[in-house]
Amino acid sequence: MKVVNLKQAILQAWKERWSDYQWAINIKKNLGTKGATWDYLNLAEALMEQALIGPSPNPLILSYLKYAINSQMVSYSSVLTAISKFDDFSRDLCVKALLEIMDMFSNHLSCHGKAEECIGLCRALLNVVVWLLQGCAWYCDRLRELGPSASTEASLGACQERLHSLVSSTKNRALVHIARLEDQGSWSNVEQAIVKVTDGVANVANQTLKSKLEESVSLVKGIPHMLTAQSDPPAQPSFPSVHAFIMLEGTMNLTGETPPLVEQLMMIKRMQRIPTPLFVLEIWKACFTGLIESPEGTEELKWTAFMFLKIPQVLLKLKSLQSERGQDFMDDVNGAFEYLLKLTPLLDKADQRCNCDCLNMLLQECNKLGLLSDSNATNLSSKREYAPRLKTTENANIQPNPGLILRAEPTVTNILKTVDADHSKSPEGLLGVLAHMLSGKSLDLLLAAAAATGKLKSFARKFIKLNEFPKHISGEGSKSASVRALLFDISFLMLCHVVQTYGSEVILSEPSPSGETPFFETWLLTCMPEEGKILNPDHPCFRPESGKVESLVALLNNSSEMKLVQMKWHEICLSTPAAILEVLNAWENGVLSVDAVQKITDNIKGKVCSMAICAVAWLVAHVRMLGRDEREKPQTMIRQLVTPLYSENTLQFYNERVVIMSSILEHMCADVFQQTGLQLRPVLEGQEPIPYRNLLPAKEPVHEALRRQFQAVLRKGWVDSRALHLLESLLHIGGVFWFTNNLVKELLKETRKEWANRVAELLYSIFCLDMPQITLTLLGTILPNLLTDPAHWHSLADPPGKALANSFSPHHKGHASARQRKRQREDIEPSKLMRLLSSNEDEPVTLSSPGDRSMSSSLSASQLHTVNMRDPLNRVLANLFLLISTILGSKMAGPHTQFVHSFMEECVECLEQGHRGSILQFLPFTMVSELVKLPAMAKPKVVLAITDLTLPLGRRVAAKAISAL
């Protein structure tokens, strides 16, 4: 009835020629409605219908409409919706009147009502954009049919102007974007209208009008891509994060798989917005630096393999990612090399170190993989200015490592094939291959090449299989017995060497297919000393059957030479520790003389070096348990076993095997000998006995060592390999909290912006040592402590506070997203979920202040997506955002609130790059209304970035926040 009465009231007012305010008073008195219920009665539409009956609009009724708009009797959305329903563009005067009505409020569109009303404004805006596009298309058609006409052009210009002023506002575009997501089908109306306008533009003779129309249409087309627009990257000469990450991977993780490495690099690139040529350059710079400063020997070979074999594969992966986005990666690699050519001192030093033209080899490798075109590779090669290379007489004949590594890579594949063949008939052929691997630095070369190309695990599996092979004895002569002993010994030595160089996980990571554990794996787990692993010398693994032990002791003690026929080497190795204990006890009790012990140790190491390794493995565990005075005799035995034997009757390939045996034993004994400050053997001039071992000064407090090392890194500007190893041992000694907390304190001491940012960069580099645990500690303990304790607030002031906020907010997003998988719904009951996601008019979702922690208000997108809160990182982030929400809602301001602002700005800054991160899904929806009070956050694009627009609740929150801006 009220709707009927409304129409009658309008007609009566018109007949009686009431003025606008008289009409308003009477209509309110007679229909007695309040506030938004005028929209419910469609007042705007009713007035417009009556006003636009004739060919020209009715001025009196239009004045009622204008009065209703000015006195806020009707909402902007109801007026826009009513306008968009008018479809007769031939009535020019009516269209003109509607455009003038729009002018009354289109430059300050807003809505301060419930979320549902704000969504209404979004829909109305989208409808009016369609209406204006249809108007433009209609006038373009008219120009095509009737030819040029000043009045039609004026009408087209009027529509175009309104469209442009509407969509040139980011706020309005954001609201239309929300409407598009709210009702997926509605956007097709816009697209159809765009097609008609685009077709009709050709008929517009006026060039100015034509270009303005095209500009307006492109603005509308860009609405779905609002969040992907990139801002310019900051100008920066170098990127320590990339440098440190490459250093860390090259020093400690040669065997790591390529995809995670690529993912992490891409994340750093995205977060710091590093242009691709500079990004590739930084990778090469880090490789050259790592190679130049790596210690001689195995470490240098590992770096060479990393740089010449692994990094080109990493770039190949990056290339495939770039080509998906349609970017030309080859140009970027070429650009990176152009920059690299300017760093002549770096290239000269690398050439001098490797005794070859490193850059040329890299260019050839990149060209081979399709990372550089032939012409670019030739051009770059010709630009390299040669420095005089130091080819002294002694190193002129040494082949350069890069060349050796590149040749070793195909050899690895061939060796794997050879070892796979059936050797049960004639194992001698296999022995030749293995002996060749032992000569010189072949083994280290092959292992480094295998590690860099992901073949090390299969390499290790083959040697385990080979080590099992000599178990099977049938009637054998002395020749086949010595071949069997050598096969066992060489494979055992190689496996020990792999474990010490690349870690036991390379060998233990895959269970054997047969189900039974091979001998070497059992021995490795129970008997082999490693850094950080303490063994019990009385463990049953060192105590085999007494009969076997007695016969072994007798064998070692009596015979001048061990017989090889029918020897079960696996059993001998397991019996050796117990035999050594017998010998040691006999020596200590005066039953054996020093010479007799020397004869026994010569017997142990003279034929099969593996026995010496098993003996020393037990002695090391035994010595750890002894007092200083009791260590002399067992340490003497260790020294006797380490010293090579120079006699005629040793087994074949003895010299090659002894070199590896000595290196394995040196690693095993390093810790025990260091405890008492002794050395296993005299140190050669200028050579570290074992690189990166025992780097910590003996009597310095650990926090002092950490501070000093960090200051050294800060002065240098990057984290080198030695510093990484030292910091890693400090991390293990002090624990994650101690390590992270002390380094954050170092950052908060800085008072200059430039240095604070530099420290933050370096901290990220160092935190890569154990990113998951350090992230949890930083976000879960250290940061909440700083934010909740007023005594710490002063330390969060700028610049260190801002540097801290910038340093970790973006980077950890990657770790959050890497852990996001499809989850089971486990956080919210389905009934509550349905109520939250319903958009029922009678039960709108109210968005209250942060103080009111009602179910709907403090929810975050993560809860509505049911993210697994058992994941520690998700739990830490959810708690952190609740804390931040409380700080933003409190009335207390200070450096801590300033820090929160910087932190949130950084989170948004990273999101605006079109990468939908998941860190902000933990933000409670109530926080949005608090955040938009901050000047830096009061932007439509920010609101779109921090709300999850895939959720109905997220869209309501965004619409409400943007409408109020």
Side-chain angles (χ1 to χ4, degrees):
M1 276 306 292
K2 279 194 171 179
V3 177
V4 177
N5 292 347
L6 180 64
K7 289 187 176 172
Q8 285 173 349
I10 294 169
L11 284 170
Q12 187 184 347
W14 171 66
K15 282 175 191 166
E16 296 178 14
R17 297 293 186 269
W18 290 352
S19 65
D20 47 14
Y21 66 89
Q22 274 178 307
W23 165 79
I25 292 165
N26 282 326
I27 202 162
K28 282 179 182 174
K29 195 186 292 174
N30 295 332
L31 291 177
T33 58
K34 284 191 181 75
T37 38
W38 289 111
D39 280 354
Y40 186 57
L41 293 177
N42 278 340
L43 174 60
E45 200 175 316
L47 284 167
M48 215 169 278
E49 229 174 73
Q50 296 297 328
L52 304 177
I53 287 172
S56 64
N58 181 322
L60 184 61
I61 297 180
L62 273 188
S63 74
Y64 298 163
L65 177 59
K66 287 174 184 173
Y67 189 89
I69 293 168
N70 285 333
S71 61
Q72 296 186 352
M73 280 171 73
V74 290
S75 66
Y76 296 146
S77 56
S78 68
V79 179
L80 291 174
T81 306
I83 289 174
S84 64
K85 288 181 180 172
F86 181 81
D87 57 0
D88 186 357
F89 289 102
S90 61
R91 292 193 276 163
D92 290 357
L93 292 171
C94 291
V95 173
K96 190 181 175 203
L98 290 179
L99 294 174
E100 282 167 3
I101 285 173
M102 269 178 68
D103 291 343
M104 291 172 64
F105 57 82
S106 62
N107 63 344
H108 55 260
L109 275 173
S110 60
C111 172
H112 296 274
K114 292 176 180 169
E116 209 45 60
E117 293 163 32
C118 300
I119 288 282
L121 178 61
C122 297
R123 289 197 173 107
L125 255 174
L126 187 137
N127 291 337
V128 100
V129 166
V130 173
W131 181 75
L132 287 167
L133 283 166
Q134 286 168 341
C136 292
W138 194 89
Y139 291 120
C140 287
D141 272 3
R142 198 177 192 180
L143 287 171
R144 180 171 56 80
E145 288 163 14
L146 306 176
S149 143
S151 66
T152 308
E153 278 191 5
S155 299
L156 176 60
C159 274
Q160 179 276 322
E161 253 172 59
R162 277 26 173 241
L163 178 64
H164 190 269
S165 78
L166 209 59
V167 292
S168 58
S169 144
T170 315
K171 175 180 173 177
N172 294 346
R173 289 207 305 281
L175 293 172
V176 173
H177 182 51
I178 293 170
R180 179 182 80 85
L181 296 170
E182 186 68 19
D183 176 9
Q184 299 287 345
S186 60
W187 191 248
S188 61
N189 300 336
V190 178
E191 287 171 333
Q192 286 162 13
I194 286 175
V195 170
K196 286 178 187 166
V197 175
T198 313
D199 293 347
V201 163
N203 309 309
V204 181
N206 182 334
Q207 284 306 312
T208 316
L209 181 57
K210 187 176 183 176
S211 65
K212 279 184 179 174
L213 195 53
E214 284 167 347
E215 188 189 337
S216 303
V217 168
S218 74
L219 276 171
V220 178
K221 275 183 181 169
I223 288 174
H225 315 292
M226 279 190 75
L227 284 176
T228 53
Q230 295 249 352
S231 44
D232 288 336
Q236 230 177 313
S238 67
F239 302 91
S241 301
V242 181
H243 195 107
F245 185 66
I246 291 292
M247 290 299 275
L248 183 74
E249 289 291 310
T251 308
M252 296 182 176
N253 199 17
L254 181 60
T255 54
E257 292 184 11
T258 311
L261 165 60
V262 172
E263 197 180 302
Q264 185 83 3
L265 277 170
M266 281 306 285
M267 191 179 79
I268 299 174
K269 178 181 189 296
R270 210 170 40 230
M271 294 316 156
Q272 300 198 346
R273 287 175 283 170
I274 309 175
T276 310
L278 292 181
F279 178 62
V280 176
L281 169 70
E282 201 62 48
I283 292 175
W284 286 133
K285 270 165 59 181
C287 285
F288 273 99
T289 311
L291 182 61
I292 289 164
E293 61 180 26
S294 58
E296 265 180 49
T298 315
E299 293 299 323
E300 185 185 345
L301 291 179
K302 281 161 83 170
W303 259 107
T304 311
F306 181 73
M307 175 167 161
F308 287 88
L309 293 176
K310 191 164 187 174
I311 290 295
Q313 291 300 324
V314 167
L315 292 180
L316 209 53
K317 277 265 193 316
L318 290 172
K319 180 186 176 183
S320 68
L321 289 174
Q322 294 278 82
S323 59
E324 284 169 21
R325 302 193 186 115
Q327 291 161 302
D328 189 355
F329 193 66
M330 285 169 88
D331 285 353
D332 293 332
V333 173
N334 184 48
F337 276 118
E338 290 278 5
Y339 286 128
L340 190 61
L341 277 165
K342 293 173 185 163
L343 304 176
T344 313
L346 182 74
L347 299 178
D348 288 352
K349 199 138 174 88
D351 286 358
Q352 191 180 335
R353 172 78 200 255
C354 297
N355 198 23
C356 68
D357 183 355
C358 292
L359 186 80
N360 233 330
M361 286 190 157
L362 272 184
L363 292 173
Q364 285 168 21
E365 214 40 35
C366 290
N367 175 232
K368 209 189 299 173
L369 291 173
L371 293 165
L372 272 178
S373 65
D374 294 350
S375 57
N376 280 347
T378 314
N379 175 37
L380 289 164
S381 184
S382 66
K383 287 183 182 174
R384 169 82 173 108
E385 295 168 12
Y386 286 106
R389 257 188 249 115
L390 301 186
K391 276 207 169 178
T392 53
T393 41
E394 66 264 21
N395 73 7
N397 308 322
I398 300 170
Q399 285 186 301
N401 285 336
L404 291 172
I405 279 284
L406 291 169
R407 283 208 295 283
E409 194 247 340
T411 315
V412 169
T413 318
N414 294 336
I415 287 175
L416 289 176
K417 281 184 197 153
T418 312
V419 176
D420 256 349
D422 181 18
H423 297 287
S424 49
K425 302 285 181 290
S426 62
E428 293 85 353
L430 186 56
L431 203 53
V433 174
L434 295 183
H436 177 67
M437 283 177 70
L438 287 181
S439 61
K441 55 184 178 187
S442 296
L443 182 60
D444 278 331
L445 270 168
L446 291 165
L447 291 179
T453 51
K455 297 192 184 106
L456 189 61
K457 279 183 183 171
S458 50
F459 219 67
R461 287 248 72 80
K462 298 280 186 293
F463 287 121
I464 283 182
K465 205 167 139 192
L466 197 60
N467 189 255
E468 292 291 286
F469 171 69
K471 270 185 182 172
H472 317 292
I473 315 169
S474 49
E476 64 173 2
S478 62
K479 188 179 180 206
S480 58
S482 71
V483 169
R484 199 168 52 78
L486 283 168
L487 283 179
F488 173 81
D489 200 36
I490 292 174
S491 56
F492 188 91
L493 289 166
M494 285 177 173
L495 286 165
C496 286
H497 186 61
V498 168
V499 169
Q500 287 183 339
T501 315
Y502 295 100
S504 50
E505 52 281 359
V506 175
I507 284 170
L508 300 172
S509 57
E510 293 169 43
S512 65
S514 62
E516 66 172 285
T517 312
F519 159 73
F520 185 79
E521 286 189 34
T522 314
W523 183 83
L524 166 62
L525 281 169
T526 49
C527 308
M528 182 170 176
E530 289 178 84
E531 198 173 5
K533 176 167 142 192
I534 302 296
L535 297 169
N536 172 9
D538 300 326
H539 191 277
C541 71
F542 293 123
R543 300 274 165 277
E545 299 161 38
S546 55
K548 289 179 180 172
V549 176
E550 281 166 20
S551 60
L552 178 61
V553 172
L555 193 70
L556 293 170
N557 203 12
N558 301 333
S559 75
S560 56
E561 191 173 329
M562 281 180 78
K563 301 285 181 286
L564 305 175
V565 181
Q566 297 296 317
M567 276 284 198
K568 293 185 175 173
W569 294 111
H570 302 83
E571 288 180 9
I572 295 268
C573 279
L574 290 175
S575 306
T576 302
I580 285 287
L581 176 61
E582 294 287 322
V583 172
L584 187 61
N585 284 339
W587 185 19
E588 285 183 334
N589 292 320
V591 178
L592 289 174
S593 66
V594 179
D595 292 344
V597 173
Q598 179 76 59
K599 195 175 87 174
I600 291 171
T601 53
D602 284 355
N603 256 336
I604 288 175
K605 67 189 177 191
K607 289 277 183 281
V608 179
C609 296
S610 320
M611 281 177 72
I613 290 173
C614 294
V616 171
W618 178 80
L619 281 165
V620 165
H622 180 64
V623 167
R624 274 186 191 284
M625 306 295 170
L626 301 176
R628 195 164 184 166
D629 308 339
E630 303 163 305
R631 290 186 174 195
E632 190 193 341
K633 283 189 167 66
Q635 283 187 340
T636 305
M637 282 185 88
I638 290 177
R639 284 207 179 91
Q640 287 177 347
L641 287 162
V642 169
T643 316
L645 185 68
Y646 300 105
S647 77
E648 295 303 307
N649 58 6
T650 51
L651 256 180
Q652 215 180 345
F653 311 124
Y654 183 71
N655 292 347
E656 290 87 344
R657 284 181 294 135
V658 150
V659 172
I660 294 189
M661 178 190 86
S662 301
S663 126
I664 292 166
L665 295 181
E666 194 173 325
H667 275 85
M668 276 186 179
C669 306
D671 293 351
V672 163
F673 275 82
Q674 196 223 2
Q675 285 175 354
T676 48
L678 295 172
Q679 273 153 0
L680 197 55
R681 55 171 147 215
V683 181
L684 296 171
E685 179 107 13
Q687 185 191 352
E688 285 189 60
I690 302 174
Y692 305 139
R693 269 306 257 286
N694 309 317
L695 296 172
L696 280 174
K699 292 175 183 172
E700 188 178 25
V702 279
H703 88 262
E704 198 48 46
L706 179 64
R707 198 189 58 76
R708 205 166 44 76
Q709 183 55 51
F710 183 72
Q711 289 303 323
V713 163
L714 186 56
R715 279 194 303 276
K716 196 169 187 178
W718 80 82
V719 193
D720 60 26
S721 301
R722 192 187 164 87
L724 278 170
H725 275 276
L726 210 154
L727 289 164
E728 190 190 36
S729 51
L730 284 167
L731 170 62
H732 290 319
I733 290 169
V736 177
F737 174 79
W738 172 85
F739 183 78
T740 315
N741 196 32
N742 277 304
L743 286 177
V744 168
K745 280 180 189 167
E746 290 296 317
L747 166 59
L748 296 178
K749 282 180 200 166
E750 294 298 338
T751 51
R752 283 165 52 197
K753 184 180 174 183
E754 182 194 341
W755 281 86
N757 289 339
R758 189 168 169 183
V759 171
E761 276 263 16
L762 288 171
L763 282 193
Y764 173 68
S765 318
I766 293 167
F767 289 166
C768 285
L769 283 168
D770 187 356
M771 191 58 96
Q773 288 307 313
I774 289 177
T775 303
L776 291 175
T777 307
L778 195 53
L779 298 179
T781 313
I782 295 171
L783 194 54
N785 281 352
L786 290 170
L787 289 173
T788 49
D789 184 353
H792 288 140
W793 287 352
H794 69 280
S795 65
L796 289 173
D798 282 352
K802 194 170 178 65
L804 179 64
N806 293 5
S807 69
F808 65 75
S809 61
H811 299 300
H812 303 306
K813 202 166 59 248
H815 287 270
S817 58
R819 293 157 182 260
Q820 300 302 332
R821 290 180 289 278
K822 288 278 176 245
R823 313 288 187 177
Q824 296 303 308
R825 290 215 149 133
E826 55 185 34
D827 290 302
I828 297 179
E829 300 156 32
S831 58
K832 283 179 178 167
L833 191 70
M834 291 316 296
R835 198 164 77 243
L836 283 162
L837 300 182
S838 69
S839 55
N840 188 339
E841 282 281 18
D842 306 329
E843 192 197 10
V845 177
T846 52
L847 301 163
S848 50
S849 68
D852 170 14
R853 290 261 168 256
S854 68
M855 184 66 195
S856 62
S857 69
S858 64
L859 270 171
S860 62
S862 64
Q863 284 167 294
L864 295 178
H865 281 312
T866 64
V867 168
N868 176 12
M869 283 301 163
R870 291 196 186 106
D871 182 324
L873 184 66
N874 292 345
R875 219 168 39 237
V876 159
L877 284 169
N879 289 336
L880 179 66
F881 275 103
L882 274 175
L883 173 61
I884 286 177
S885 174
T886 315
I887 290 172
L888 282 174
S890 74
K891 301 289 176 276
M892 181 85 167
H896 65 303
T897 47
Q898 191 181 5
F899 172 83
V900 166
H901 295 180
S902 303
F903 178 77
M904 292 310 303
E905 278 175 45
E906 190 62 28
C907 290
V908 173
E909 177 68 28
C910 297
L911 273 189
E912 276 196 51
Q913 295 162 46
H915 167 64
R916 287 221 61 82
S918 59
I919 189 170
L920 286 174
Q921 68 182 348
F922 296 98
L923 178 140
F925 280 129
T926 34
M927 252 176 86
V928 177
S929 56
E930 290 297 321
L931 283 174
V932 292
K933 293 175 187 170
L934 311 177
M937 299 280 173
K939 299 172 191 160
K941 277 175 81 171
V942 169
V943 178
L944 292 181
I946 62 179
T947 45
D948 189 333
L949 299 176
T950 58
L951 294 170
L953 183 56
R955 293 195 289 273
R956 275 154 187 62
V957 170
K960 188 168 164 52
I962 293 171
S963 305
L965 289 176

